[in-house]
Every structure is written in structure tokens, then in C-alpha cells.
């Protein structure tokens, strides 16, 4: 897995997106579970890219481009499981508004689709009040918020921690008022004091997420 992660990171860091996409497809076609691919290959490859930035072997701009290209590659998995009227469950995936990357949200979306959900991904967080009508119209059963801990994740920057904690409290209150389950994922949760999130509503790996849903 680690060798695959290094190969993938090198391909993305050099913007060789075609080779990277082929690598991901090869891994998937070999029969590995999608959650295992995310946990053991995609996430470590992101860590490698982050280390390249810290050691100044690539620039921040190159890092952002790499992460965006990874996200685009992963989004293709959503095409394998499109929304369908035959699906009986509906989920909403939302990114924290201060976060630049949305890879964690997209990977969550893929897992949900694999589990038979119709998934609606809002990207950066919309105002909670504006989501209410949409949630009712689409009969949303589950909402997922993702918070990573990499340097491009502004929601866990020191200056934004209080705001992020306040947002989490608001999110929990909002979805509780609608009697809907909400899950929070990502290593960024370990950086904040979010006492109101029940442990049963958090995940740090995509295998954990798969088991929660």
C-alpha cells in the first residue's frame, strides 16, 4: 500500500494526472474495497504530498493542484453509482466553509453511493437555514460533514477554531431539531474541543465510516 501511495503521490506532484488516474483504476480493478483504497493509498499519498510541501520540494500552488487532481480522479467513482429513483436512502455531504480542499467530502460521497444512497454534495457549507427546504424536499436521511487536518484546511487554523466549534454546535442543534442523523469525519476533529459530538457520530477512517452507515 505504501509503495502505491508513493507512486501515486509522485504522479500527482508532477501533474501526471493520466498516469495517476490509471493507477487508481488499476488498484480498484484489482478488487480492493473502496474504503481500503481511500484509507491505505489515497490518504497516505496526500500525507506524502504534504511532506513535499514542508520540505519545499513542491510549492503550495503545486500542492493545491495535486489535491484538486486527486479529487477529480475520485469523483469519477461517483459515476459508477449515480442517483436513482430506485435508491431508498438519501444523504447530504457538506464541506466546512473555510476549507479549501473537498477531497474528504468527495470520498465520503463515494462510500455512501457504494452503500446505496442518493447523495447530494453541496461543496462548501451553505447556510443551515437555507438547507431546510432542500432536506425536506429530497427526504434526506443522513448528513455528513468532513474536517481534515492538513495545512490547506483553514477550518482548523488557530484563528478559525472557535468559529469551527461554533459551527459544529450549530450543525448538531440544527439536525437534532429535524430529527436527522449527522456524522462528522476527519482527523481535524482531533484538533478541536467538540464535546457535543457523540463518539458514535464520528469517524476517522473510511472503513469506520462504512461501518457507521
Amino acid at each position: 500500500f505504501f509503495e502505491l501511495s508513493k507512486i501515486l503521490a509522485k504522479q500527482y506532484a508532477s501533474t501526471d494526472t493520466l498516469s495517476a488516474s490509471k493507477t487508481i483504476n488499476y488498484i480498484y480493478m484489482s478488487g480492493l474495497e473502496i474504503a481500503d483504497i481511500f484509507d491505505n493509498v489515497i490518504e497516505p499519498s496526500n500525507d506524502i504530498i504534504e511532506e513535499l510541501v514542508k520540505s519545499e520540494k513542491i510549492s503550495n500552488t503545486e500542492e493545491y493542484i495535486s489535491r484538486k487532481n486527486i479529487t477529480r480522479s475520485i469523483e469519477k467513482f461517483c459515476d459508477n453509482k449515480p442517483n436513482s429513483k430506485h435508491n431508498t436512502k438519501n444523504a447530504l455531504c457538506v464541506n466546512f466553509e473555510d476549507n479549501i480542499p473537498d477531497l474528504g467530502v468527495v470520498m465520503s460521497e463515494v462510500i455512501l453511493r457504494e452503500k446505496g444512497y442518493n447523495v447530494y454534495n453541496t461543496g462548501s457549507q451553505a447556510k443551515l437555514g437555507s438547507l431546510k427546504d432542500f432536506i425536506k424536499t429530497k427526504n434526506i436521511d443522513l448528513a455528513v460533514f468532513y474536517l481534515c487536518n492538513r495545512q490547506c484546511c483553514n477550518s482548523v487554523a488557530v484563528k478559525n477554531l472557535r468559529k469551527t466549534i461554533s459551527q459544529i454546535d450549530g450543525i448538531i442543534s440544527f439536525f437534532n431539531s429535524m430529527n436527522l442523523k449527522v456524522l462528522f469525519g476527519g482527523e481535524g476533529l482531533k484538533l478541536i474541543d467538540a464535546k457535543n459530538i457523540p463518539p458514535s457520530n464520528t469517524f476517522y477512517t473510511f472503513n469506520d465510516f462504512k461501518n457507521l452507515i
Side-chain angles (χ1 to χ4, degrees):
F1 284 139
F2 186 61
E3 290 303 315
L4 286 170
S5 298
K6 289 195 293 184
I7 291 169
L8 197 59
K10 183 177 180 180
Q11 289 168 338
Y12 277 119
S14 65
T15 67
D16 185 2
T17 53
L18 179 59
S19 293
S21 183
K22 287 181 177 179
T23 298
I24 292 175
N25 286 334
Y26 172 78
I27 297 168
Y28 179 68
M29 294 303 292
S30 71
L32 286 175
E33 292 286 338
I34 197 74
D36 287 330
I37 296 173
F38 291 167
D39 287 338
N40 299 316
V41 181
I42 302 298
E43 287 286 66
S45 72
N46 272 290
D47 293 335
I48 293 169
I49 289 171
E50 180 125 327
E51 288 303 314
L52 291 174
V53 175
K54 290 179 180 177
S55 60
E56 299 184 348
K57 292 180 179 178
I58 64 173
S59 66
N60 284 316
T61 300
E62 289 171 308
E63 178 197 17
Y64 294 150
I65 292 171
S66 297
R67 294 200 196 286
K68 188 63 179 177
N69 287 332
I70 294 173
T71 303
R72 285 173 176 162
S73 296
I74 299 304
E75 281 176 333
K76 293 177 182 177
F77 285 109
C78 294
D79 296 336
N80 297 334
K81 303 281 185 179
N83 286 349
S84 168
K85 63 181 181 181
H86 300 296
N87 294 338
T88 59
K89 300 175 289 186
N90 302 294
L92 180 68
C93 288
V94 189
N95 203 25
F96 281 85
E97 64 181 335
D98 288 314
N99 274 4
I100 296 173
D102 56 357
L103 178 58
V105 175
V106 172
M107 289 194 288
S108 300
E109 177 181 358
V110 173
I111 297 291
L112 285 163
R113 289 182 182 276
E114 290 280 324
K115 284 283 193 175
Y117 280 83
N118 289 323
V119 186
Y120 303 94
N121 187 338
T122 70
S124 293
Q125 182 179 335
K127 290 184 178 179
L128 292 175
S130 65
L131 291 175
K132 184 173 288 189
D133 289 340
F134 179 83
I135 288 170
K136 291 180 178 179
T137 301
K138 296 298 183 181
N139 296 313
I140 298 298
D141 303 292
L142 171 69
V144 180
F145 289 76
Y146 197 88
L147 190 65
C148 75
N149 67 344
R150 297 188 174 95
Q151 63 178 14
C152 52
C153 300
N154 290 328
S155 289
V156 293
V158 173
K159 65 178 181 180
N160 290 326
L161 282 178
R162 285 188 179 180
K163 178 182 177 182
T164 300
I165 293 170
S166 177
Q167 284 179 351
I168 289 173
D169 290 342
I171 290 164
I172 292 172
S173 176
F174 174 80
F175 283 97
N176 282 347
S177 71
M178 299 190 71
N179 199 30
L180 287 177
K181 187 174 183 179
V182 57
L183 299 178
F184 296 88
E187 291 289 323
L189 295 174
K190 296 178 180 178
L191 302 178
I192 60 177
D193 183 18
K195 297 178 181 178
N196 292 336
I197 307 178
S200 59
N201 288 57
T202 61
F203 63 95
Y204 299 105
T205 71
F206 289 97
N207 271 292
D208 288 343
F209 179 49
K210 183 179 70 173
N211 292 331
L212 275 178
I213 58 175

